Amino acid sequence: MLADILGLLSIIIVILLLKRFVNIFPSLMACTIRWKESINLEASVKHSLDRDMLAAAMILPFCLVADEFRLYSPRFMDGLGDNAHLAAVIGICAAYCIIRTLISKMLHPHKMNPKIWKTAGRSSFTFFIILTLVLLAMGGIMRFAGIDPLFTRNAMLCVSAFIYALFLLRKFQIFISGGSFFTGFLYLCALEIIPTGVLVASAVFF
């Protein structure tokens, strides 16, 4: 019941933002190919605002996909009912975002160009939109084709890992454009690799 309500709400929100998505889609794709496109996107007030709104709109669809295909389903969640499982996924997703935001606030460097830091931080919005759209498409197509749910889940996890790795590369390139290789790597570890590693470990070991 909860999934149906949130699914309907997600569809309504996405429809309302459809025009913004069409306008910004070429920029989103360009960001996957060249890191400098993220800087160009951030320099455009309209495009960056549209991107941020779309990223916020993708949160519910992402959580619904993650719940439906059990992309995050550690053993401690096995006994939960459907509504409780979805609520737990949403809560963990929210906690992950809050932790990343807090780390980013604490580690904000004074020597790095603020525009570079802002662009690197918000590049996650771009790749989150892309990831969610790909997962939605994969889920719909593979379910319609009658493909085994376990295979679908594994395929989604592999694609998610690839998109995340591409995101890390682009974010690292943005960082080193405003600082040293070593500094960029340290920030990448603190802001992305460690929090995500803890999330993945919780799914694998708990």
Side-chain angles (χ1 to χ4, degrees):
M1 183 65 179
L2 179 60
D4 294 335
I5 294 173
L6 295 181
L8 179 60
L9 178 61
S10 298
I11 292 172
I12 293 173
I13 294 174
V14 170
I15 290 175
L16 292 175
L17 296 176
L18 188 58
K19 184 177 179 180
R20 294 176 183 268
F21 170 71
V22 172
N23 290 337
I24 201 176
F25 184 75
S27 295
L28 297 180
M29 292 297 100
C31 289
T32 66
I33 301 172
R34 296 179 297 274
W35 66 268
K36 289 184 179 180
E37 291 298 332
S38 293
I39 295 179
N40 295 335
L41 191 155
E42 205 63 44
S44 170
V45 175
K46 183 180 185 306
H47 280 179
S48 61
L49 179 60
D50 288 347
R51 188 271 317 277
D52 294 350
M53 292 180 65
L54 286 168
M58 291 293 110
I59 294 175
L60 275 181
F62 176 81
C63 291
L64 289 169
V65 170
D67 172 70
E68 178 67 22
F69 294 96
R70 295 301 192 258
L71 300 184
Y72 182 84
S73 188
R75 287 189 293 273
F76 69 81
M77 291 172 59
D78 287 346
L80 299 179
D82 291 342
N83 289 344
H85 192 281
L86 175 57
V89 169
I90 294 174
I92 291 169
C93 181
Y96 173 73
C97 292
I98 291 172
I99 290 172
R100 289 178 74 254
T101 301
L102 290 176
I103 294 174
S104 178
K105 294 292 185 182
M106 291 187 294
L107 296 180
H108 193 292
H110 297 291
K111 294 183 179 180
M112 184 178 291
N113 187 328
K115 291 183 179 180
I116 295 295
W117 178 260
K118 180 180 178 181
T119 299
R122 293 192 176 184
S123 64
S124 61
F125 298 166
T126 299
F127 284 86
F128 176 67
I129 295 170
I130 295 170
L131 172 62
T132 303
L133 292 174
V134 171
L135 293 181
L136 286 170
M138 287 182 65
I141 293 171
M142 298 179 87
R143 172 163 288 182
F144 179 78
I147 296 175
D148 179 68
L150 180 60
F151 179 85
T152 299
R153 176 180 181 271
N154 290 336
M156 284 182 163
L157 289 175
C158 289
V159 170
S160 299
F162 173 78
I163 293 176
Y164 185 70
L166 180 60
F167 158 64
L168 290 180
L169 173 62
R170 298 292 177 247
K171 185 167 185 175
F172 179 62
Q173 290 173 318
I174 295 170
F175 272 144
I176 62 177
S177 71
S180 68
F181 182 95
F182 183 67
T183 300
F185 180 73
L186 288 179
Y187 280 127
L188 193 68
C189 288
L191 296 171
E192 297 294 342
I193 297 176
I194 293 177
T196 303
V198 171
L199 181 67
V200 173
S202 70
V204 174
F205 298 109
F206 298 100

